[in-house]
Amino acid sequence: MIDIQPDQIDGVQARLKDDAGVTRVDTAPMLRGVITQINDRPAAEVAGNHWVVQGDRGLTYSDRPTRTKVVAGEWWPEQYDGPPQISFAAEEAEEMGLGLGDMITVNILGRDIAGEITSLREVDFSQAGMGFVLTMNPSALQGAPHTWLATIYADQASEAAILRDLGKAYPNITLISVRDAITRVTGLMGQVAAAITYGAMATLVTGFVVLMGAAAAGERARTYEAAVLKTLGATCGEILLNFALRSAVLGAAAGVVAVFAGGVSGWAVTHYIMENDFVFEPVSAIAIVTGGVVATILAGLVYAWRPLSARPAQVLRSRD
């Protein structure tokens, strides 16, 4: 829920308090502000093109940390009424090169408010809940015009009644169903995954065709090798084993290179573009390499019967 007026927040909480379907309600005041300076220097000059300094950001005030963990520094005491203090998101602070003691100037409704970073805290924006990069002590912002924000955790059966009652009682409030948004995103990601799956299948089929073509192209060379080996006393079984081992080594080498290159590329995309943790899946990698080795061996053996059945004298005479 967004755009909750200060005189409406008590009524909203009263409606949700006795609802059996509601498991949790988070509320926070919210203002919009632009970080204009860092340590008396232009913010863009210090943080570059970091998203925190691009446009205005949501910020809040609180007299105590709520559902967050302070990882560095100390939170201001309750009823603090001194110079403005700031609690900043730890990950974003590290990315921007900020630390305890740095001064940040935020422009809120045309007024510059400068505060010192006195604590860093964990902020997880992936949970679809409330998260503010910048939090200040109440006395620094409480007098500024602002609205309230609320996140309601409820079961699906109660959701329709909550949306109806609050929407009717407070028509100015915007209610957003996170469940519907997640459902749409999940559906979109499912379509993307299906497209990737079909593309991977097409790649595998194409790769197998190319593999068969490469095996067929090398049939003449294997025929000559088989003739030479037979002349030197090798049996058909030994020659076949030689071909199979060669195909296995070739397939394993190609598979290891592919897994390494794919793993590095996947890590780079996950870490730098998606900004998420990369987890290597060894079972899938081993299965893919094993499948590649088997496919290479089969492709090699399919075109090994004719070289084995050829007469050495005829092959060697024609080669001369």
Side-chain angles (χ1 to χ4, degrees):
M1 301 176 60
I2 60 177
D3 299 329
I4 306 172
Q5 298 302 311
D7 60 349
Q8 296 174 331
I9 187 65
D10 291 338
V12 170
Q13 291 177 325
R15 164 59 182 85
L16 301 172
K17 182 178 179 181
D18 298 326
D19 194 319
V22 177
T23 58
R24 172 178 148 196
V25 179
D26 292 340
T27 60
M30 189 180 78
L31 302 89
R32 307 293 298 184
V34 179
I35 298 178
T36 57
Q37 291 186 324
I38 299 175
N39 293 326
D40 296 326
R41 295 169 56 194
E45 186 179 300
V46 177
N49 60 350
H50 195 279
W51 65 269
V52 172
V53 297
Q54 298 296 313
D56 61 336
R57 298 266 74 83
L59 56 140
T60 187
Y61 62 83
S62 177
D63 58 359
R64 61 183 182 277
T66 304
R67 302 190 189 282
T68 187
K69 179 182 178 181
V70 176
V71 296
E74 294 184 358
W75 198 271
W76 45 84
E78 292 191 23
Q79 307 301 323
Y80 172 78
D81 195 26
Q85 294 189 16
I86 294 174
S87 179
F88 211 87
E91 183 177 348
E92 282 66 30
E94 182 180 359
E95 293 170 352
M96 297 168 62
L98 302 180
L100 299 177
D102 286 332
M103 296 294 296
I104 293 182
T105 301
V106 185
N107 185 279
I108 303 174
L109 300 175
R111 176 188 173 190
D112 286 337
I113 299 178
E116 178 186 355
I117 298 179
T118 56
S119 65
L120 301 175
R121 56 199 161 75
E122 291 181 353
V123 180
D124 188 358
F125 294 102
S126 67
Q127 300 299 317
M130 251 185 276
F132 293 92
V133 173
L134 193 151
T135 299
M136 301 185 75
N137 59 293
S139 62
L141 300 176
Q142 208 164 16
H146 62 275
T147 59
W148 282 73
L149 184 73
T151 303
I152 306 167
Y153 298 82
D155 56 50
Q156 192 167 4
S158 304
E159 183 174 335
I162 293 173
L163 293 174
R164 181 183 64 250
D165 293 348
L166 292 178
K168 184 178 180 180
Y170 309 105
N172 64 289
I173 295 176
T174 302
L175 298 100
I176 303 170
S177 175
V178 178
R179 179 181 287 107
D180 291 344
I182 292 177
T183 300
R184 291 191 178 187
V185 173
T186 302
L188 178 62
M189 295 303 295
Q191 295 175 4
V192 173
I196 293 174
T197 300
Y198 295 144
M201 292 175 62
T203 302
L204 288 174
V205 172
T206 303
F208 188 74
V209 172
V210 172
L211 185 62
M212 296 295 290
E219 183 178 357
R220 183 175 180 182
R222 283 192 296 274
T223 300
Y224 179 74
E225 292 177 15
V228 173
L229 292 173
K230 284 183 179 180
T231 303
L232 296 176
T235 64
C236 289
E238 292 173 338
I239 296 174
L240 192 63
L241 179 61
N242 177 276
F243 289 164
L245 288 175
R246 186 186 307 177
S247 298
V249 171
L250 179 62
V256 170
V257 171
V259 169
F260 176 77
V264 172
S265 301
W267 170 83
V269 171
T270 303
H271 182 74
Y272 291 107
I273 298 178
M274 302 181 68
E275 296 184 356
N276 210 334
D277 295 330
F278 175 76
V279 178
F280 181 73
E281 177 54 57
V283 176
S284 299
I286 294 174
I288 292 172
V289 172
T290 303
V293 171
V294 172
T296 306
I297 293 175
L298 292 177
L301 294 181
V302 166
Y303 291 94
W305 299 112
R306 186 179 298 178
L308 289 176
S309 61
R311 295 182 178 182
Q314 184 178 358
V315 173
L316 295 176
R317 192 178 297 114
S318 63
R319 184 65 175 256
D320 294 338

